[in-house]
Amino acid sequence: MDTLEKAPPVKRDRPWLIRTYSGHSSARASNALYRTNLARGQTGLSVAFDLPTQTGYDADHQLARGEVGKVGVPICSIEDMEALFEGIPLEQMNTSMTINATAPWLLSLYIAVAEKQGADISALQGTVQNDIIKEYLSRGTYIFPPQPSVKLATDVITYTVRNIPKWNPTNICSYHLQEAGATPVQEMAYALSTAVTILDSIRDSGEIAAEDFADVVGRISFFVNAGIRFVEECCKMRGFVEMWDRIAEQRYGVTDAKLRRFRYGVQVNSLGLTESQAENNIQRIVLEMLGVVLSKTARARAIQLPAWNEALGLPRPWDQQWSLRIQQVMALETDLLEYGDLLDGSPVIAAKVKALCEGAEAEMARVAEHGGMVRAIESGYVKRELVASQTARMRAIESGELKIVGVNCYTDSADSPLTSASDGGIMKVDPAAEREQIERLTAFRARRDPEAVKQALEALTAAARSGANVMPASIACAHAGVTTGEWAGALRAIFGEYRAPTGIDGVVATRSDSARIQALRERTRNTGEQLGRPLRLLVGKPGLDGHSNGAEQVAVKARDAGFEVVYEGIRLTPHQLATAALEEGVHLIGLSVLSGSHAELVTEIRKELDELGLSRVPVIIGGIIPEADAVALKAAGIAAVYTPKDVDLNRIMSELVDIIRNANGLDPYEAAA
């Protein structure tokens, strides 16, 4: 019998970098999680920082109360950074850090730790997001006005190009633009306009010689979103590749094709994850991943997948492992990496790519007419466009035009065993984590050399005032024992702080002729007449949570329903919100908290309201709030709790009218038909 010849080995492309986005509670707890994930086959780290770290506050600051360790790891000093990477050789690791306003500082801490490990700094590999421009449009973790913020971002880029050549010094992040409502055309246009703004700033600064500028262009990377319409997402990515190649060649004169590559990482769409029938999120995540891996010429270089239960709360280690295994099965078990580009030559794909590129180029031209991305942010143009797009999306979900399985269709479901466990299917941060972090911070301050800290901060201040690159002084601050709050505080004293436009004033609500919305407006008007003036709603974003999409949509819808709306944007203290409620004479306060700090913030706000004699003003809250917490909040006097499953804004508005009526001794209306 003839021996069968062995088939030649199949040549496979190397898989993308496999990450999970994680960090919580404390540096030591996060370190244990990182080492576990690396042992399970993760090939890079992606660090999530808590909100105080992202916005430049120490753990004991008033605004940090209730926020420490909730959405990421708290980093107050070099001691925390050392604990975070204990046992992980940084010279051998590829680390991504999602950090923006404080990116120069967190990178400085990372470099300082690497130096203490004895690493060759020029060999470090990784990424800092360092895309401050989109923070004014979506996540809200900006600190300073746009112009000095762009200068700090370019400081990071020019420093790393010279000293850490393998580092990606900015990750232009369209991910959060899509989360804020951007269409594929808007996502492409605003991300590429942001990249142009940053590169123009570096070129015009004169800090990089003309002959070296192509290397700067080559280090620009992107971080994108991928939604459930995975065919369109595939086309979007191919469009990004084409447009970036043209921009790099035609605008910046880059002749080396390798330096014109559109290098990007991705996290698939968290906006599309649902609280209702959360198990459906698994297939959503897999399908969304196809959008960034099918096309070889536009394939992601690094991927991190959300966990199935992120609309419920903080994922557990097992949930993150599930997302990790999805990537590993796609990369190792399927034959995807054995072929060239599967979409080349398709006229359908080519036509869609062409349409997306033409739309994006037209929107980029409109941004340029407004004076570029910074001016378009300061004027409120881009924010208004995003709020309008998100409003259109919410209206489509409400009407059923946009179908979401388990949310507005096929809503009947058996009980899920995934969420029936005693932990509710999520991880909860130990309430002691904040107190313990403050204790560590206090002890660290007591041990350090105060004179060294003083001199380091003086050098940082001098660099910032003179316009010099702040990175060398920031690295010296890290070694001297300066804290996150002190670093940011020194720069706040120079640059000031900033409040971005909310975007809701320019959105004209589309008035529906449906009987339901007309009845709702009539009830709002009648109730106002009975109380002697129009109903007034205060929409508030307390604490450091800057994800304002939900608050903006509630504000827009409330105006459409006949309310007068007071909305002053993000990052307000409980005292500021209570004072606004008093000064504006509101009938109802609606809070939006997505960071998990709802219990602490509600307690503080109720205390402030009581002190101002406003204890009878009803308070509602919306956010990612576990059922057990919702029960506790209602028991504490909160009139209603809304979570991501509550997408019918007409119903919510009707309930708000009844809450106001009940608080003022009026009989409630029947539920709107």
Side-chain angles (χ1 to χ4, degrees), residues 87-387:
I88 301 175
L90 297 187
E91 192 172 339
Q92 302 170 25
M93 185 50 55
N94 191 306
T95 305
S96 173
M97 294 188 284
T98 301
I99 198 70
N100 294 281
T102 54
W105 174 239
L106 272 297
L107 179 58
S108 294
L109 288 171
Y110 189 86
I111 291 169
V113 170
E115 288 175 339
K116 293 185 75 171
Q117 287 185 356
D120 176 2
I121 301 305
S122 66
L124 295 180
Q125 298 184 68
T127 304
V128 279
Q129 192 165 101
N130 194 33
D131 175 14
I132 193 60
I133 288 178
K134 62 93 177 54
E135 295 298 314
Y136 300 102
L137 303 172
S138 50
R139 294 177 73 246
T141 66
Y142 55 84
I143 302 173
F144 317 112
Q147 289 290 356
S149 294
V150 169
K151 169 61 168 62
L152 292 174
T154 59
D155 282 357
V156 171
I157 297 169
T158 54
Y159 179 85
T160 55
V161 167
R162 290 171 175 155
N163 299 281
I164 319 176
K166 296 180 181 180
W167 195 266
N168 299 312
T170 184
N171 218 206
I172 304 299
C173 186
S174 68
Y175 172 87
H176 297 98
L177 298 178
Q178 188 178 125
E179 297 286 289
T183 65
V185 163
Q186 289 173 324
E187 186 181 346
M188 295 169 68
Y190 300 150
L192 293 173
S193 294
T194 295
V196 165
T197 296
I198 294 297
L199 284 173
D200 283 359
S201 178
I202 295 171
R203 180 194 59 194
D204 298 344
S205 72
E207 289 194 39
I208 299 293
E211 61 270 21
D212 297 329
F213 191 71
D215 292 330
V216 177
V217 177
R219 295 316 303 169
I220 300 294
S221 62
F222 294 78
F223 190 78
V224 308
N225 208 326
I228 194 66
R229 293 169 56 84
F230 71 90
V231 175
E232 184 175 48
E233 294 294 334
C234 249
C235 295
K236 180 188 76 179
M237 298 320 308
R238 291 170 72 91
F240 259 131
V241 169
E242 290 184 13
M243 290 185 68
W244 183 242
D245 184 75
R246 286 199 296 271
I247 290 169
E249 183 174 29
Q250 296 174 13
R251 188 181 185 96
Y252 299 115
V254 179
T255 57
D256 186 342
K258 290 183 178 179
L259 298 179
R260 301 198 304 265
R261 287 176 180 167
F262 185 80
R263 301 180 307 116
Y264 77 96
V266 66
Q267 174 162 313
V268 305
N269 189 3
S270 294
L271 177 67
L273 302 183
T274 65
E275 178 187 9
S276 301
Q277 298 181 23
E279 62 275 8
N280 293 335
N281 294 331
I282 286 295
Q283 51 264 35
R284 291 186 178 110
I285 290 168
V286 174
L287 291 170
E288 289 164 353
M289 185 180 174
L290 286 178
V292 295
V293 297
L294 271 180
S295 178
K296 180 176 179 178
T297 57
R299 184 171 292 151
R301 296 170 66 94
I303 297 175
Q304 58 193 43
L305 300 181
W308 68 277
N309 56 350
E310 288 192 12
L312 305 177
L314 191 64
R316 301 160 299 189
W318 182 86
D319 305 315
Q320 291 195 328
Q321 177 183 292
W322 197 353
S323 292
L324 176 63
R325 296 293 185 247
I326 291 172
Q327 291 205 58
Q328 291 168 331
V329 169
M330 182 76 78
L332 303 176
E333 293 190 24
T334 75
D335 57 351
L336 175 69
L337 299 180
E338 296 176 9
Y339 300 97
D341 199 299
L342 304 176
L343 303 182
D344 282 352
S346 166
V348 174
I349 296 295
K352 184 64 176 177
V353 171
K354 182 173 183 290
L356 289 172
C357 289
E358 289 174 349
E361 288 167 350
E363 184 60 20
M364 288 183 73
R366 284 187 283 273
V367 170
E369 289 171 3
H370 280 79
M373 275 300 281
V374 170
R375 292 285 178 84
I377 286 170
E378 292 173 335
S379 71
Y381 168 73
V382 179
K383 185 65 173 179
R384 287 193 298 272
E385 293 298 301
L386 292 176
V387 172

Side-chain angles (χ1 to χ4, degrees), residues 32-53:
L33 178 61
Y34 295 163
R35 293 169 75 167
T36 297
N37 286 344
L38 290 169
R40 290 173 179 168
Q42 184 174 302
T43 54
L45 295 177
S46 182
V47 182
F49 296 100
D50 73 353
L51 289 173
T53 303

